[in-house]
Amino acid sequence: MKQVESVTKKKSNLLIGENGANYLFPFLFICILFLLWGFAHGFLDVLAKHFQDLLHVSKAQSRFVQFSLYIGYFVMAIPAGMFIKKYNYQKGIILGLVIFAAGCFLFYPAASYGTFLPFLIALFVIACGLTFLETAANPYSTVLGSKDGAAQRINISQSFNGLGWILGPLIGGFFVFGMEAQGEEDKFDSLVTPYMLIGCVVLVVLLVFMLIKLPKIKEEQEGEDEDPPMKLLLKHPMFIMAVIAQFLYVAAQTGTNSFFINYVIEAVPDLLTPISNMMSNLGGFGEFFMPKNNEQAASVILAIGGMGAFWIGRLVGAYIMKFLKPYILLLVFATINCVLVGLVVLDIGWLSVISLFTTYLFMSVMFPTIFALGLDNLGGLTKKGSSFLVMAVAGGAFCPPIMGWISDHFSMATGFSIPLLCFAFIAYFGYWCNQYKKKNAI
């Protein structure tokens, strides 16, 4: 009986602060932010192929869609952190939502130009807004309750992010590839309409965050002697290796996301029939998202197969880490992905397609695992180290254009040799960490 009471008390304290305040209401709205930026990223993955068809740009040129987003994170990460530190989390969230909505509504004037660059500028603005949201929401979700429930709360929040990654390509494929233009005048409706709707949703969320009062966070003050020189980070080889691995991981994931639809419709030309049959077996849900063309069918595979596997992989990977060291799991998962991407490069039909979306299952744990390993034993350098690991997300800006160039000059399958090399280094990083730990007996 006492054990049951103890468990019940632990659960009830998850969103109860030390002062007895209930943080359920603000926590739910913070989770909405995770859903929003997960959706924005997932939606982006269907745009690159659509720009190729709509504006007749090459594969390499269309990858500047991802470049515009990830370079926005690189540019705005430090200013966002400074703003939130000077003011507070709520004001950072409000500013992020304002910029996010502005970027969405910029799609309307961008359509009047009918060229690629204005759309890229709009996506860059969206990225700046998302950077504010992520910089504020990630740490804030960990303090909305008891200290011992911080990890559980951030995992719950991240599950909403994973749900957004699933809905993004699913709904994006429905709108972007499902809308048929009646003529030259409305050919951009497939881009403008969904982003106008997203902008309206963001405005509603913005209004909510302007009306509610989020609990103020009392942060521990750091002493002047707790700010060691940044050059000391160079004395931590595991951190340096982690930054490189993180850069390459984000490059591999973004490259895979951006070329997923291209690859699938080229590998399996008759894709619509089997996917339509599968969706028809899902009842009303399947009928609503029933694909009308190969592009929509590929976005369904990306949403349900790829991002669904990514979501499941995060849950399963976290459980496996109870029994296996993180760097060993990283070594195993990255090695498996090398084999899977090797099958993708071979371009052998459905086997390659299945291998492609299975890579998401094994990619799922890489970002947080590399992040944690990079911060291992940094002590007072932890915050500085974190900023560099976040900046490593810029890897997503450079890989897609390179893959696009290779695809334009050789083949789509050959372009996936870049993610293959990235996963090979990540596997080496896992092996290197194991040897480093043994050598230093950490």
Side-chain angles (χ1 to χ4, degrees):
M1 185 68 179
K2 288 183 178 180
Q3 185 176 2
V4 173
E5 290 177 353
S6 175
V7 173
T8 304
K9 184 177 180 181
K10 184 177 180 180
K11 288 183 178 179
S12 64
N13 286 339
L14 181 63
L15 295 171
I16 304 297
E18 295 179 358
N19 58 355
N22 190 323
Y23 295 136
L24 174 62
F25 181 74
F27 179 76
L28 289 176
F29 282 102
I30 292 298
C31 288
I32 292 175
L33 299 179
F34 281 81
L35 178 65
L36 276 178
W37 81 64
F39 179 86
H41 278 273
F43 195 94
L44 188 73
D45 294 330
V46 305
L47 287 185
K49 177 63 174 70
H50 194 52
F51 276 125
Q52 294 170 29
D53 300 333
L54 199 62
L55 296 174
H56 307 293
V57 298
S58 67
K59 291 185 178 71
Q61 290 172 323
S62 71
R63 298 318 138 180
F64 282 98
V65 169
Q66 280 77 15
F67 182 87
S68 298
L69 185 83
Y70 286 97
I71 206 67
Y73 273 81
F74 183 80
V75 170
M76 194 54 64
I78 293 177
M82 294 173 63
F83 180 90
I84 293 168
K85 183 177 181 180
K86 183 176 181 179
Y87 296 99
N88 56 48
Y89 288 109
Q90 185 163 6
K91 289 182 179 178
I93 290 170
I94 290 173
L95 181 56
L97 290 169
V98 169
I99 299 173
F100 186 2
C104 291
F105 292 128
L106 280 176
F107 266 71
Y108 185 81
S112 65
Y113 287 94
T115 57
F116 198 26
L117 182 60
F119 289 109
L120 296 182
I121 294 173
L123 289 171
F124 175 82
V125 174
I126 289 175
C128 292
L130 296 180
T131 305
F132 271 88
L133 295 185
E134 293 201 38
T135 305
N138 274 304
Y140 191 70
S141 65
T142 65
V143 295
L144 290 175
S146 59
K147 290 182 178 179
D148 57 353
Q152 189 175 356
R153 282 191 300 275
I154 190 65
N155 274 288
I156 294 173
S157 300
Q158 286 289 350
S159 69
F160 280 83
N161 182 255
L163 179 60
W165 274 94
I166 295 173
L167 293 176
L170 193 63
I171 296 177
F174 175 78
F175 275 101
V176 173
F177 294 126
M179 294 182 64
E180 296 181 1
Q182 300 301 316
E184 282 296 312
E185 293 182 359
D186 65 349
K187 71 176 185 177
F188 291 107
D189 284 356
S190 57
L191 290 173
V192 174
T193 301
Y195 271 99
M196 293 302 101
L197 294 174
I198 295 171
C200 290
V201 171
V202 174
L203 285 181
V204 172
V205 177
L206 169 63
L207 180 61
V208 170
F209 275 93
M210 292 178 69
L211 294 176
I212 66 174
K213 279 191 175 182
L214 293 179
K216 292 186 178 181
I217 307 303
K218 294 182 179 180
E219 297 179 318
E220 297 180 1
Q221 299 295 321
E222 294 183 350
E224 294 182 358
D225 59 337
E226 295 180 358
D227 190 20
M230 195 174 297
K231 64 181 181 180
L232 293 179
L233 285 171
L234 298 177
K235 296 183 178 181
H236 295 267
M238 184 174 289
F239 164 76
I240 297 171
M241 290 287 287
V243 170
I244 299 171
Q246 197 72 290
F247 182 93
L248 294 176
Y249 164 70
V250 179
Q253 186 196 31
T254 307
T256 302
N257 290 348
S258 61
F259 283 105
F260 187 97
I261 293 175
N262 278 101
Y263 183 88
V264 170
I265 62 178
E266 289 183 18
V268 186
D270 185 23
L271 183 67
L272 184 60
T273 301
I275 299 303
S276 296
N277 292 337
M278 180 193 75
M279 296 300 287
S280 64
N281 294 326
L282 297 178
F285 175 84
E287 292 296 329
F288 184 78
F289 289 105
M290 183 65 68
K292 299 177 182 178
N293 48 51
N294 279 345
E295 286 83 359
Q296 267 193 296
S299 68
V300 169
I301 296 179
L302 176 60
I304 299 177
M307 298 308 176
F310 189 85
W311 195 18
I312 293 172
R314 280 192 167 177
L315 300 175
V316 174
Y319 178 76
I320 295 176
M321 283 186 190
K322 292 182 179 181
F323 314 100
L324 204 62
K325 295 292 184 183
Y327 43 86
I328 299 298
L329 183 65
L330 187 67
L331 168 61
V332 173
F333 275 25
T335 301
I336 292 174
N337 262 7
C338 287
V339 176
L340 291 172
V341 179
L343 292 173
V344 173
V345 173
L346 291 177
D347 194 14
I348 44 181
W350 269 108
L351 178 60
S352 294
V353 171
I354 293 171
S355 298
L356 181 58
F357 70 71
T358 306
T359 61
Y360 286 89
L361 180 68
F362 300 100
M363 276 195 283
S364 58
V365 302
M366 291 185 183
F367 186 94
T369 303
I370 294 170
F371 203 97
L373 290 171
L375 297 180
D376 193 25
N377 289 316
L378 286 188
L381 291 164
T382 298
K383 288 186 176 180
K384 285 185 171 64
S386 297
S387 65
F388 279 94
L389 287 166
V390 170
M391 298 288 275
V393 171
F398 300 101
C399 182
I402 296 173
M403 287 182 65
W405 183 88
I406 294 175
S407 301
D408 286 334
H409 289 78
F410 298 96
S411 69
M412 187 69 262
T414 306
F416 276 87
S417 59
I418 301 300
L420 176 59
L421 294 174
C422 293
F423 289 128
F425 182 87
I426 295 169
Y428 171 73
F429 173 64
Y431 170 79
W432 183 90
C433 285
N434 184 42
Q435 299 301 114
Y436 182 81
K437 292 278 188 179
K438 290 179 179 179
K439 181 179 179 180
N440 293 275
I442 297 176

